[in-house]
Amino acid sequence: MHSLIKTLFVEKFNNPPLSKLTDSAVLKIDDRLLAFTTDTYVVKPLFFPGGDIGKLAVSGTVNDLSVMGAEPICISCGLVIEEGLDYRILERIIDSMERTAESAKVKVVTGDTKVVEKGKGDGLFINTSGIGIIRKSISMDDIKPGDKIIINGPVGEHGIAVLLARGELGLESEVKSDCAPLNGLISEVLKVTDNIKFMRDPTRGGLGTVLNEIVEGKGFGIMLEEDRIPLSNPVKGACELLGLDPLYIANEGKVVIVATPEDVQKILEVMRHHPLGKDAEIIGEIVSEPKGKVGMKTKSKGTRIVDMLVGEQLPRIC
Amino acid sequence: MHSLIKTLFVEKFNNPPLSKLTDSAVLKIDDRLLAFTTDTYVVKPLFFPGGDIGKLAVSGTVNDLSVMGAEPICISCGLVIEEGLDYRILERIIDSMERTAESAKVKVVTGDTKVVEKGKGDGLFINTSGIGIIRKSISMDDIKPGDKIIINGPVGEHGIAVLLARGELGLESEVKSDCAPLNGLISEVLKVTDNIKFMRDPTRGGLGTVLNEIVEGKGFGIMLEEDRIPLSNPVKGACELLGLDPLYIANEGKVVIVATPEDVQKILEVMRHHPLGKDAEIIGEIVSEPKGKVGMKTKSKGTRIVDMLVGEQLPRIC
């Protein structure tokens, strides 16, 4: 998929905002920098512990804007409805979108609905695109060894919650998706520091993929400390049973931050005072070796490489 | 569908830009007015005479911005790909999007791809959302009797081209979709007049639906002249054979304009000098009676009411 996006999108639609492949494109209109992003949600099932496709669609787009240092202003909503979808289901999902938008203080300002025949869709797909005003420009060009890596809480909850909600594995679990709009948390963080060098929400591909994207082709690497990475017991248990690595499982309410060591305690403090950041941790740092790689000091005092994920990630989780 | 959008979207996401139900939402950022729009394209088949889903997706979003008096700046592209879609088909469609975007001088700046299992999609769905800078605000509040109604060319071509391309009707025809980005034509028109009171692209529901939306609940009506409405012989023939009214057939390269009588000749002249407006015509005018209705002087010198369409429009044509 990554190669598909790179080849087709970047080569064909050759232009500077797109080729950066960040969460949002950055546009300059007059003297104002705007962030613009799009995501289509095809999650299956439509409802899962901790959320639903509507909450996910609003949160995901709000988060893609927020990690660019942007204040999300408005979003669009494009629905593809499979014929026969129960109107009450649609109503519940739109209600959920509305509640999530309200909690994130964004407005759904424009929409579109299309209906396809039974068997030509899968209940409901939702596209949300969003516009935000960039309040602080964040550039990963300044990342250097010694910078710290922070995450606002436990990893893997969204992917595991959705996977188990499909019921195909016959596993019972109390795992809930972490799906939530992070703009409130991020704006609190941006109030106390000007030294954030990178933010990203580790969705598809999880924490491991985002960290690899930070170091890919760079003159520095990352060293994680396994015992500092927040992980809930139910996610840990489910991953062990299913043979999955929680580092590659999708999150929908997490943000990875790279910041200067001087500001890390301030950031951590602000995060831990916010409901979506109470389990925030410093999980590692930028190191000069191994260059271009993500290493991890394991609980057993060894070191292993956390590679770019090869092959299929879990399908239809967002 | 109209009632679904009204009830669910407008009631739930209650906010001023959305409740206007125009083609794009209007946002004020600093002193700048921006237009923001979204559309998902589920047209079937993916390729049809005169275009394909990619050309359609770019044109449709460019047009939704343009009719708001906005200069389209950038668009997003969200793909839902059904597993098994031939990569060469995807490539042809992305190429077509790129060519259309280039011809319309807009950039595709952000994208997303999702893959769904075979039988859970239908080849390809494309969402395009777009941002434009509003150059001239157009308000239908000033519409009054005597204002003229202009269209830039023959109606019904897109809907008929797509319908026949499905091959289910066993009809051969030379009808080509009119699918095209109209921002060039519209910007030429806006150079010669400040007296445009309404613009809209008559897509789903066709010319008849757009005209009814203009007069709905208003203290004025519209009187059309049937013999002034541009209609090609192949569309006319297909409509007669299939029992369809071309006034309700979708267009994807047409714009309906309401303007003061003083400026109508200037507008017509500019349009007719543009390749997408050479068949432009004044098709009717705003009248004081019948209020809230669209009437039409027929070729046989009678008068009939062109009602709001009841029931299903052709499915999957955009």
Side-chain angles (χ1 to χ4, degrees), chain B residues 165-189:
Chain B
R166 289 189 197 147
E168 295 157 1
L169 301 167
L171 266 182
E172 292 279 328
S173 159
E174 55 196 285
V175 179
K176 274 190 186 160
S177 166
D178 57 341
C179 167
L182 293 168
N183 52 333
L185 173 74
I186 290 173
S187 82
E188 290 301 310
V189 168

PDB file of all heavy atoms in Angstrom, chain B residues 165-189:
ATOM      1  N   ALA B 165     -23.700   3.351 -21.270  1.00  0.00           N
ATOM      2  CA  ALA B 165     -22.411   2.651 -21.150  1.00  0.00           C
ATOM      3  C   ALA B 165     -22.531   1.384 -20.316  1.00  0.00           C
ATOM      4  O   ALA B 165     -21.684   0.499 -20.396  1.00  0.00           O
ATOM      5  CB  ALA B 165     -21.357   3.581 -20.542  1.00  0.00           C
ATOM      6  N   ARG B 166     -23.591   1.279 -19.526  1.00  0.00           N
ATOM      7  CA  ARG B 166     -23.765   0.040 -18.750  1.00  0.00           C
ATOM      8  C   ARG B 166     -24.088  -1.140 -19.654  1.00  0.00           C
ATOM      9  O   ARG B 166     -23.957  -2.289 -19.247  1.00  0.00           O
ATOM     10  CB  ARG B 166     -24.892   0.221 -17.721  1.00  0.00           C
ATOM     11  CG  ARG B 166     -24.460   1.136 -16.615  1.00  0.00           C
ATOM     12  CD  ARG B 166     -25.434   1.175 -15.465  1.00  0.00           C
ATOM     13  NE  ARG B 166     -25.124   2.353 -14.679  1.00  0.00           N
ATOM     14  CZ  ARG B 166     -25.997   3.100 -14.021  1.00  0.00           C
ATOM     15  NH1 ARG B 166     -27.262   2.754 -14.015  1.00  0.00           N
ATOM     16  NH2 ARG B 166     -25.613   4.145 -13.352  1.00  0.00           N
ATOM     17  N   GLY B 167     -24.581  -0.840 -20.857  1.00  0.00           N
ATOM     18  CA  GLY B 167     -24.825  -1.898 -21.829  1.00  0.00           C
ATOM     19  C   GLY B 167     -26.045  -2.746 -21.532  1.00  0.00           C
ATOM     20  O   GLY B 167     -26.345  -3.691 -22.262  1.00  0.00           O
ATOM     21  N   GLU B 168     -26.780  -2.418 -20.467  1.00  0.00           N
ATOM     22  CA  GLU B 168     -27.913  -3.268 -20.083  1.00  0.00           C
ATOM     23  C   GLU B 168     -29.130  -3.035 -20.980  1.00  0.00           C
ATOM     24  O   GLU B 168     -30.032  -3.849 -21.031  1.00  0.00           O
ATOM     25  CB  GLU B 168     -28.317  -2.975 -18.633  1.00  0.00           C
ATOM     26  CG  GLU B 168     -27.244  -3.352 -17.631  1.00  0.00           C
ATOM     27  CD  GLU B 168     -27.370  -2.596 -16.316  1.00  0.00           C
ATOM     28  OE1 GLU B 168     -28.317  -1.783 -16.180  1.00  0.00           O
ATOM     29  OE2 GLU B 168     -26.517  -2.817 -15.433  1.00  0.00           O
ATOM     30  N   LEU B 169     -29.139  -1.866 -21.633  1.00  0.00           N
ATOM     31  CA  LEU B 169     -30.323  -1.521 -22.406  1.00  0.00           C
ATOM     32  C   LEU B 169     -30.186  -1.927 -23.874  1.00  0.00           C
ATOM     33  O   LEU B 169     -31.141  -1.838 -24.642  1.00  0.00           O
ATOM     34  CB  LEU B 169     -30.569  -0.008 -22.312  1.00  0.00           C
ATOM     35  CG  LEU B 169     -30.767   0.488 -20.874  1.00  0.00           C
ATOM     36  CD1 LEU B 169     -30.677   1.999 -20.825  1.00  0.00           C
ATOM     37  CD2 LEU B 169     -32.104   0.015 -20.334  1.00  0.00           C
ATOM     38  N   GLY B 170     -28.996  -2.387 -24.243  1.00  0.00           N
ATOM     39  CA  GLY B 170     -28.786  -2.830 -25.622  1.00  0.00           C
ATOM     40  C   GLY B 170     -28.925  -1.712 -26.646  1.00  0.00           C
ATOM     41  O   GLY B 170     -29.197  -1.959 -27.809  1.00  0.00           O
ATOM     42  N   LEU B 171     -28.755  -0.460 -26.180  1.00  0.00           N
ATOM     43  CA  LEU B 171     -28.869   0.682 -27.090  1.00  0.00           C
ATOM     44  C   LEU B 171     -27.486   1.166 -27.482  1.00  0.00           C
ATOM     45  O   LEU B 171     -26.628   1.335 -26.637  1.00  0.00           O
ATOM     46  CB  LEU B 171     -29.567   1.842 -26.373  1.00  0.00           C
ATOM     47  CG  LEU B 171     -31.068   2.011 -26.521  1.00  0.00           C
ATOM     48  CD1 LEU B 171     -31.515   3.244 -25.766  1.00  0.00           C
ATOM     49  CD2 LEU B 171     -31.452   2.118 -27.993  1.00  0.00           C
ATOM     50  N   GLU B 172     -27.276   1.400 -28.774  1.00  0.00           N
ATOM     51  CA  GLU B 172     -26.029   2.018 -29.229  1.00  0.00           C
ATOM     52  C   GLU B 172     -26.284   3.518 -29.354  1.00  0.00           C
ATOM     53  O   GLU B 172     -27.366   3.942 -29.750  1.00  0.00           O
ATOM     54  CB  GLU B 172     -25.654   1.483 -30.614  1.00  0.00           C
ATOM     55  CG  GLU B 172     -25.259   0.020 -30.634  1.00  0.00           C
ATOM     56  CD  GLU B 172     -23.818  -0.189 -30.212  1.00  0.00           C
ATOM     57  OE1 GLU B 172     -22.980   0.707 -30.483  1.00  0.00           O
ATOM     58  OE2 GLU B 172     -23.522  -1.236 -29.594  1.00  0.00           O
ATOM     59  N   SER B 173     -25.296   4.318 -29.029  1.00  0.00           N
ATOM     60  CA  SER B 173     -25.509   5.758 -29.138  1.00  0.00           C
ATOM     61  C   SER B 173     -24.178   6.477 -29.163  1.00  0.00           C
ATOM     62  O   SER B 173     -23.163   5.957 -28.725  1.00  0.00           O
ATOM     63  CB  SER B 173     -26.336   6.237 -27.942  1.00  0.00           C
ATOM     64  OG  SER B 173     -26.169   7.615 -27.755  1.00  0.00           O
ATOM     65  N   GLU B 174     -24.178   7.685 -29.701  1.00  0.00           N
ATOM     66  CA  GLU B 174     -22.939   8.455 -29.757  1.00  0.00           C
ATOM     67  C   GLU B 174     -22.884   9.497 -28.641  1.00  0.00           C
ATOM     68  O   GLU B 174     -22.052  10.402 -28.666  1.00  0.00           O
ATOM     69  CB  GLU B 174     -22.816   9.138 -31.123  1.00  0.00           C
ATOM     70  CG  GLU B 174     -24.022  10.003 -31.459  1.00  0.00           C
ATOM     71  CD  GLU B 174     -24.104  10.364 -32.934  1.00  0.00           C
ATOM     72  OE1 GLU B 174     -23.323  11.227 -33.363  1.00  0.00           O
ATOM     73  OE2 GLU B 174     -24.951   9.772 -33.647  1.00  0.00           O
ATOM     74  N   VAL B 175     -23.780   9.381 -27.639  1.00  0.00           N
ATOM     75  CA  VAL B 175     -23.816  10.379 -26.564  1.00  0.00           C
ATOM     76  C   VAL B 175     -22.549  10.268 -25.724  1.00  0.00           C
ATOM     77  O   VAL B 175     -22.164   9.187 -25.287  1.00  0.00           O
ATOM     78  CB  VAL B 175     -25.049  10.183 -25.658  1.00  0.00           C
ATOM     79  CG1 VAL B 175     -25.044  11.226 -24.542  1.00  0.00           C
ATOM     80  CG2 VAL B 175     -26.333  10.271 -26.467  1.00  0.00           C
ATOM     81  N   LYS B 176     -21.909  11.439 -25.513  1.00  0.00           N
ATOM     82  CA  LYS B 176     -20.727  11.508 -24.661  1.00  0.00           C
ATOM     83  C   LYS B 176     -21.042  12.337 -23.432  1.00  0.00           C
ATOM     84  O   LYS B 176     -21.717  13.364 -23.532  1.00  0.00           O
ATOM     85  CB  LYS B 176     -19.594  12.211 -25.408  1.00  0.00           C
ATOM     86  CG  LYS B 176     -18.779  11.302 -26.273  1.00  0.00           C
ATOM     87  CD  LYS B 176     -17.536  12.044 -26.759  1.00  0.00           C
ATOM     88  CE  LYS B 176     -16.771  11.179 -27.751  1.00  0.00           C
ATOM     89  NZ  LYS B 176     -15.888  11.958 -28.582  1.00  0.00           N
ATOM     90  N   SER B 177     -20.501  11.927 -22.310  1.00  0.00           N
ATOM     91  CA  SER B 177     -20.658  12.728 -21.094  1.00  0.00           C
ATOM     92  C   SER B 177     -20.052  14.113 -21.312  1.00  0.00           C
ATOM     93  O   SER B 177     -19.018  14.256 -21.972  1.00  0.00           O
ATOM     94  CB  SER B 177     -19.939  12.054 -19.932  1.00  0.00           C
ATOM     95  OG  SER B 177     -19.823  12.967 -18.860  1.00  0.00           O
ATOM     96  N   ASP B 178     -20.688  15.126 -20.728  1.00  0.00           N
ATOM     97  CA  ASP B 178     -20.176  16.500 -20.816  1.00  0.00           C
ATOM     98  C   ASP B 178     -19.179  16.819 -19.706  1.00  0.00           C
ATOM     99  O   ASP B 178     -18.658  17.947 -19.633  1.00  0.00           O
ATOM    100  CB  ASP B 178     -21.336  17.500 -20.766  1.00  0.00           C
ATOM    101  CG  ASP B 178     -22.184  17.350 -19.508  1.00  0.00           C
ATOM    102  OD1 ASP B 178     -22.112  16.281 -18.864  1.00  0.00           O
ATOM    103  OD2 ASP B 178     -22.902  18.299 -19.170  1.00  0.00           O
ATOM    104  N   CYS B 179     -18.922  15.832 -18.868  1.00  0.00           N
ATOM    105  CA  CYS B 179     -18.007  15.926 -17.730  1.00  0.00           C
ATOM    106  C   CYS B 179     -16.757  16.796 -17.995  1.00  0.00           C
ATOM    107  O   CYS B 179     -15.927  16.456 -18.834  1.00  0.00           O
ATOM    108  CB  CYS B 179     -17.633  14.478 -17.430  1.00  0.00           C
ATOM    109  SG  CYS B 179     -16.293  14.175 -16.350  1.00  0.00           S
ATOM    110  N   ALA B 180     -16.651  17.921 -17.314  1.00  0.00           N
ATOM    111  CA  ALA B 180     -15.523  18.839 -17.521  1.00  0.00           C
ATOM    112  C   ALA B 180     -15.447  19.839 -16.374  1.00  0.00           C
ATOM    113  O   ALA B 180     -16.475  20.203 -15.798  1.00  0.00           O
ATOM    114  CB  ALA B 180     -15.694  19.597 -18.833  1.00  0.00           C
ATOM    115  N   PRO B 181     -14.238  20.295 -16.058  1.00  0.00           N
ATOM    116  CA  PRO B 181     -14.110  21.346 -15.041  1.00  0.00           C
ATOM    117  C   PRO B 181     -14.514  22.698 -15.640  1.00  0.00           C
ATOM    118  O   PRO B 181     -14.028  23.076 -16.697  1.00  0.00           O
ATOM    119  CB  PRO B 181     -12.625  21.325 -14.678  1.00  0.00           C
ATOM    120  CG  PRO B 181     -11.931  20.600 -15.773  1.00  0.00           C
ATOM    121  CD  PRO B 181     -12.935  19.813 -16.554  1.00  0.00           C
ATOM    122  N   LEU B 182     -15.397  23.403 -14.939  1.00  0.00           N
ATOM    123  CA  LEU B 182     -15.977  24.636 -15.481  1.00  0.00           C
ATOM    124  C   LEU B 182     -15.334  25.896 -14.931  1.00  0.00           C
ATOM    125  O   LEU B 182     -15.806  27.000 -15.206  1.00  0.00           O
ATOM    126  CB  LEU B 182     -17.478  24.665 -15.167  1.00  0.00           C
ATOM    127  CG  LEU B 182     -18.329  23.615 -15.884  1.00  0.00           C
ATOM    128  CD1 LEU B 182     -19.728  23.561 -15.273  1.00  0.00           C
ATOM    129  CD2 LEU B 182     -18.403  23.944 -17.374  1.00  0.00           C
ATOM    130  N   ASN B 183     -14.281  25.753 -14.137  1.00  0.00           N
ATOM    131  CA  ASN B 183     -13.746  26.966 -13.488  1.00  0.00           C
ATOM    132  C   ASN B 183     -13.197  27.978 -14.494  1.00  0.00           C
ATOM    133  O   ASN B 183     -13.339  29.187 -14.284  1.00  0.00           O
ATOM    134  CB  ASN B 183     -12.703  26.631 -12.407  1.00  0.00           C
ATOM    135  CG  ASN B 183     -11.593  25.727 -12.886  1.00  0.00           C
ATOM    136  OD1 ASN B 183     -11.771  24.940 -13.814  1.00  0.00           O
ATOM    137  ND2 ASN B 183     -10.440  25.830 -12.258  1.00  0.00           N
ATOM    138  N   GLY B 184     -12.639  27.498 -15.600  1.00  0.00           N
ATOM    139  CA  GLY B 184     -12.139  28.424 -16.620  1.00  0.00           C
ATOM    140  C   GLY B 184     -13.275  29.246 -17.203  1.00  0.00           C
ATOM    141  O   GLY B 184     -13.221  30.484 -17.244  1.00  0.00           O
ATOM    142  N   LEU B 185     -14.335  28.567 -17.629  1.00  0.00           N
ATOM    143  CA  LEU B 185     -15.505  29.251 -18.201  1.00  0.00           C
ATOM    144  C   LEU B 185     -16.103  30.230 -17.193  1.00  0.00           C
ATOM    145  O   LEU B 185     -16.374  31.393 -17.512  1.00  0.00           O
ATOM    146  CB  LEU B 185     -16.553  28.198 -18.585  1.00  0.00           C
ATOM    147  CG  LEU B 185     -17.911  28.739 -19.051  1.00  0.00           C
ATOM    148  CD1 LEU B 185     -17.811  29.310 -20.454  1.00  0.00           C
ATOM    149  CD2 LEU B 185     -18.998  27.660 -19.004  1.00  0.00           C
ATOM    150  N   ILE B 186     -16.288  29.763 -15.955  1.00  0.00           N
ATOM    151  CA  ILE B 186     -16.940  30.610 -14.947  1.00  0.00           C
ATOM    152  C   ILE B 186     -16.085  31.833 -14.622  1.00  0.00           C
ATOM    153  O   ILE B 186     -16.597  32.938 -14.448  1.00  0.00           O
ATOM    154  CB  ILE B 186     -17.292  29.776 -13.690  1.00  0.00           C
ATOM    155  CG1 ILE B 186     -18.437  28.805 -14.039  1.00  0.00           C
ATOM    156  CG2 ILE B 186     -17.670  30.664 -12.502  1.00  0.00           C
ATOM    157  CD1 ILE B 186     -18.800  27.804 -12.958  1.00  0.00           C
ATOM    158  N   SER B 187     -14.780  31.658 -14.585  1.00  0.00           N
ATOM    159  CA  SER B 187     -13.945  32.823 -14.253  1.00  0.00           C
ATOM    160  C   SER B 187     -13.995  33.862 -15.382  1.00  0.00           C
ATOM    161  O   SER B 187     -13.950  35.063 -15.133  1.00  0.00           O
ATOM    162  CB  SER B 187     -12.515  32.420 -13.893  1.00  0.00           C
ATOM    163  OG  SER B 187     -11.756  32.232 -15.056  1.00  0.00           O
ATOM    164  N   GLU B 188     -14.139  33.412 -16.631  1.00  0.00           N
ATOM    165  CA  GLU B 188     -14.322  34.356 -17.744  1.00  0.00           C
ATOM    166  C   GLU B 188     -15.623  35.148 -17.569  1.00  0.00           C
ATOM    167  O   GLU B 188     -15.663  36.355 -17.781  1.00  0.00           O
ATOM    168  CB  GLU B 188     -14.358  33.602 -19.089  1.00  0.00           C
ATOM    169  CG  GLU B 188     -13.020  33.012 -19.526  1.00  0.00           C
ATOM    170  CD  GLU B 188     -11.938  34.074 -19.683  1.00  0.00           C
ATOM    171  OE1 GLU B 188     -12.196  35.090 -20.352  1.00  0.00           O
ATOM    172  OE2 GLU B 188     -10.837  33.889 -19.110  1.00  0.00           O
ATOM    173  N   VAL B 189     -16.671  34.424 -17.188  1.00  0.00           N
ATOM    174  CA  VAL B 189     -17.969  35.081 -16.988  1.00  0.00           C
ATOM    175  C   VAL B 189     -17.879  36.118 -15.865  1.00  0.00           C
ATOM    176  O   VAL B 189     -18.373  37.238 -15.988  1.00  0.00           O
ATOM    177  CB  VAL B 189     -19.060  34.024 -16.680  1.00  0.00           C
ATOM    178  CG1 VAL B 189     -20.343  34.687 -16.183  1.00  0.00           C
ATOM    179  CG2 VAL B 189     -19.342  33.162 -17.912  1.00  0.00           C
TER     180      VAL B 189
END
